[in-house]
Amino acid sequence: MSQIDAKPRVALFVTCLVDLFRPSVGFAAIKLMEDAGCIVEVPEAQVCCGQPAYNSGDRKDTAAIAKQVIEAFEDYDYVVAPSGSCGGMIKDHYPALFAADPEWQRRAEDLSGRMHELTSFLVDVLKIQGVQTAPQDVKITYHDSCSGLRELGVKGQPRQLLDSIGGLEIVEMQTPETCCGFGGTFCVKYGEVSTDIVGRKTADITATGADLLLAGDMGCLLNMAGKLKREGSPVQVRHVAEVLAGMTDLPAIGESK
Amino acid sequence: MSMQVTTQNFEANASKALKDPNLRKAMQIIGGPMASRRVETARELPEFEALRDEGVKIKNHVLKHIDLYLEKFEQQLTARGGKLHWCRTPREARETILALCRSRDAKLVTKGKSMVTEEIGLNAFLEEHGITPVETDLGEYIIQLAQEPPSHIIGPALHKTREQVAELFEEHHPDYELPNVPGIKAGPRSTEPQVLVTEARSVLRDTYFRADVGITGANFLIAETGATVIVTNEGNGDLTQSLPRMHIAVSSIEKVIPNLEDLSTILRILARSATGQEMSCYTTLSCGPKRPEDIDGPEEFHVVLVDNGRSEMLGTALEPLLRCIRCGACMNNCPVYHSVGGHAYGWVYPGPIGAALDPHMIGLETARHLPNASTFCGKCEEVCPMRIPLPDIMRWWREQAHEKRITPPLQRWGIEAWAFAAKTPWLYRLGARVAIGLLNMLGKDKGRLSSLPLAGGWTDGRDFPAPQSASTFMSQYKASKKGGLK
Ligand code: SF4
């Protein structure tokens, strides 16, 4: 369905970190999908995908939260999240959560089939070649967030979209696929280890000489931005959706006007 | 009685490791060269992924019928003059080995590398009973001198720098003089790996001949032929098992595989995953003791088969762990392991495989940190030749800890309170509004906070980016719709 006749109805899964920390990513995602010909809605009943509970071993609460999410997104053609981590949670882990409950498992699988990460939705589902955004003269480097990369196969899609913007130069790090050490509650529970891991990452980022670091997940971005800023680095940090949508007038992550 | 466990102190161990400059220097090799060699050799073998699938199939099949394959192995081994000793517990295994050594009146035992003997605490036990074990694998030899446990399952001394090794050698064989080796510049305490290897070899040479018993591990047991298989890069295993009059191979039960063809399949992924070699330098199959017509080999050949909780794993969520072929790829590629090294894990098996296996072997209460101290980045599962779902198993342990209330109360309450809010959207939104408003206010000037109560774990080493605005996406979105923007 490369030429979509009826406009698809897409629900945006905002993700809690975007909701709380970076609303502009939500608006950028809406703009990108509307530009690509979708009708985008944001169901109000959504809260969080349940990862904090899931990865803390609280399966019961996770299932309750997952049921809420499944219900909130039942009527849409597609559900899209500007995050590989929440996308992976819903797509990969929800069906497994309900192994003992066939009715909910069916509904979880149905949602799983309609769930996509933002850049992969634009490229793999909508088959858009690029974005219509004014040229931006900047040198960027891209961090492949673990869940997006390993659970959803997000790798080439953001780069292809970025390539379509004139003026951008992508310089790859030595270890774009290595974890930044965020890991949800890990970053606080094992703060010292997490800081060390992100320190190796920022060394690699700095070595590229890029002006701007991009990724597709707010968790990683907050972590890497926090470390870069502590180091006094001038590298700016943004969610890839902001750059793709040309919404770079707002201060970068961890910066003020 | 087995190896001293410090797993319960993971946080302190990790913290100490992070401040150890030698360890940090030594660990660079793992994340760098070791990890990238794996990628290169795997890429050069087009059927690598297919071989992995095949390996998984072989192991899954064996695990379904493990009793049959072990019996077959025993039959074949016995037919070739070897003897199998079934041991449920570490204690049974230790005592069996001691009795065997005593039957030969042994004083000196050479050892090839074996993780199971670490698991059962064999060396300390033998020493207590007047028998001296000498490790012959270079890495094992180094840590034996240093009186440390291994920090990696294939490179036990990977945590040591060359300088540290040279110092240890100086301390333990001060009179050693480097023989004339062509191409190597003699210098009393060179830190060149080749020189150090040569030194260890010549110091050990005489031990091989003096040893009464040779103890090795086994990478595989071949059911069809009753052979034990060891894979090494130094050849020390061969000397250990063929020179003394008695050879004892210590193996855990899951090492059994059906036949030689399966062996060749798994060998092709083992070395590539482990060290990035196509094959290890030595792969040695032992089929029983010396026959009358053989010119060398041990007079007696024993296989000590250790269960130590493994049969309980069959048919549970932990069963996939029994596919592990101890290649070490998961630790070579683990960001947490790169930071803290193997000793921080506090028991025999470190890294992701340890995080998934140790709670079963030493108790969840003792090992509760390990399955938690992971970012769930998924790299370990990506590189594991046996496709063991390590993160899923760690999560399973977290669930057990949550259910059994082993998780620290504060953490559990935190998650339960959060989950309660997440199940009650109005409450969640209210809480979010308050928190975001506050954080935004505190971090407004710089766009970030350099300290934050209750989040010291984060802000000790990083700033905390402030929320972009005082209101959430949801409230901004709603407001924009009300304004007719739609
Ligand atoms: S878990 Fe997998 S990667 Fe780790 S040692 Fe075992 S086989 Fe190798």
Side-chain angles (χ1 to χ4, degrees), chain B residues 153 270 273 321 323-331 352-354 380 383-388 390:
Chain B
I153 63 172
L270 173 60
S273 303
L321 293 173
R323 294 202 298 259
C324 175
I325 52 173
R326 305 282 187 261
C327 70
C330 54
M331 47 203 81
I353 180 64
C380 52
V383 300
C384 173
M386 286 293 157
R387 303 197 196 279
I388 300 173
L390 294 157

Side-chain angles (χ1 to χ4, degrees), chain B residues 121-416:
Chain B
L122 183 62
N123 285 6
F125 184 77
L126 290 178
E127 276 167 23
E128 268 168 41
H129 291 83
I131 298 172
T132 309
V134 177
E135 296 288 351
T136 62
D137 169 271
L138 178 63
E140 288 283 347
Y141 177 69
I142 292 167
I143 60 165
Q144 192 179 29
L145 294 184
Q147 299 189 316
E148 285 175 21
S151 70
H152 188 284
I153 63 172
I154 63 162
L158 263 176
H159 58 286
K160 293 231 170 285
T161 60
R162 289 192 242 159
E163 290 74 19
Q164 286 176 306
V165 175
E167 265 170 46
L168 264 176
F169 283 9
E170 168 69 29
E171 184 189 324
H172 288 270
H173 4 97
D175 301 331
Y176 171 77
E177 269 176 49
L178 195 73
N180 237 342
V181 182
I184 293 177
K185 259 199 233 118
R189 287 303 157 194
S190 162
T191 56
E192 281 304 306
Q194 196 50 49
V195 176
L196 293 169
V197 171
T198 309
E199 174 166 347
R201 281 201 173 146
S202 51
V203 170
L204 283 169
R205 185 147 305 147
D206 158 63
T207 318
Y208 288 118
F209 293 103
R210 287 195 294 122
D212 308 296
V213 174
I215 299 179
T216 65
N219 290 79
F220 305 98
L221 307 173
I222 313 287
E224 189 184 44
T225 64
T228 63
V229 184
I230 59 167
V231 177
T232 71
N233 270 325
E234 298 169 22
N236 63 304
D238 297 30
L239 295 171
T240 303
Q241 68 180 29
S242 52
L243 294 175
R245 289 186 302 162
M246 176 188 277
H247 173 206
I248 306 173
V250 189
S251 170
S252 47
I253 57 169
E254 80 282 11
K255 299 282 173 88
V256 71
I257 55 175
N259 54 42
L260 291 168
E261 198 164 320
D262 298 329
L263 175 67
S264 77
T265 303
I266 297 176
L267 282 178
R268 295 179 77 195
I269 46 180
L270 173 60
R272 285 180 167 88
S273 303
T275 48
Q277 293 164 287
E278 285 176 17
M279 275 287 174
S280 304
C281 301
Y282 300 85
T283 300
T284 309
L285 286 78
S286 307
C287 297
K290 172 181 189 308
R291 291 161 301 187
E293 66 273 24
D294 291 339
I295 43 167
D296 54 14
E299 289 160 18
E300 283 184 60
F301 180 50
H302 299 269
V303 176
V304 173
L305 195 62
V306 183
D307 184 331
N308 196 17
R310 286 168 173 83
S311 50
E312 289 161 20
M313 295 161 71
L314 292 165
T316 72
L318 301 178
E319 185 178 295
L321 293 173
L322 295 172
R323 294 202 298 259
C324 175
I325 52 173
R326 305 282 187 261
C327 70
C330 54
M331 47 203 81
N332 292 347
N333 287 277
C334 172
V336 175
Y337 184 94
H338 290 170
S339 284
V340 303
H343 285 164
Y345 291 79
W347 198 57
V348 178
Y349 301 104
I353 180 64
L357 183 63
D358 296 353
H360 176 71
M361 307 278 261
I362 57 176
L364 180 54
E365 210 136 331
T366 309
R368 77 165 179 89
H369 275 295
L370 302 192
N372 281 289
S374 159
T375 65
F376 277 170
C377 74
K379 186 75 185 174
C380 52
E381 183 174 355
E382 180 188 301
V383 300
C384 173
M386 286 293 157
R387 303 197 196 279
I388 300 173
L390 294 157
D392 285 349
I393 293 174
M394 289 180 227
R395 189 183 295 103
W396 183 84
W397 281 119
R398 295 182 190 189
E399 284 164 11
Q400 307 305 304
H402 184 82
E403 261 168 40
K404 298 198 175 93
R405 306 187 159 251
I406 290 171
T407 314
L410 214 60
Q411 273 174 33
R412 211 178 53 239
W413 295 332
I415 281 298
E416 279 169 2

Side-chain angles (χ1 to χ4, degrees), chain A residues 49-125:
Chain A
C49 66
Q51 263 188 101
Y54 187 52
N55 288 338
S56 301
D58 183 353
R59 208 180 165 94
K60 215 171 105 223
D61 278 325
T62 311
I65 295 167
K67 283 182 182 175
Q68 253 173 224
V69 173
I70 293 169
E71 274 172 346
F73 293 101
E74 212 123 54
D75 302 332
Y76 296 90
D77 297 329
Y78 300 102
V79 181
V80 174
S83 154
S85 162
C86 314
M89 174 73 192
I90 295 173
K91 203 173 181 66
D92 270 19
H93 297 282
Y94 273 19
L97 259 183
F98 298 107
D101 186 341
E103 168 58 13
W104 276 102
Q105 188 171 46
R106 189 193 57 72
R107 293 170 77 176
E109 260 158 17
D110 177 67
L111 173 58
S112 167
R114 291 177 289 122
M115 181 77 217
H116 301 276
E117 181 276 340
L118 176 66
T119 60
S120 129
F121 178 67
L122 296 171
V123 172
D124 302 333
V125 180

Side-chain angles (χ1 to χ4, degrees), chain A residues 191-210:
Chain A
E192 259 185 284
V193 185
S194 174
T195 302
D196 187 62
I197 298 174
V198 73
R200 283 200 297 273
K201 197 82 206 187
T202 52
D204 197 357
I205 293 164
T206 309
T208 61

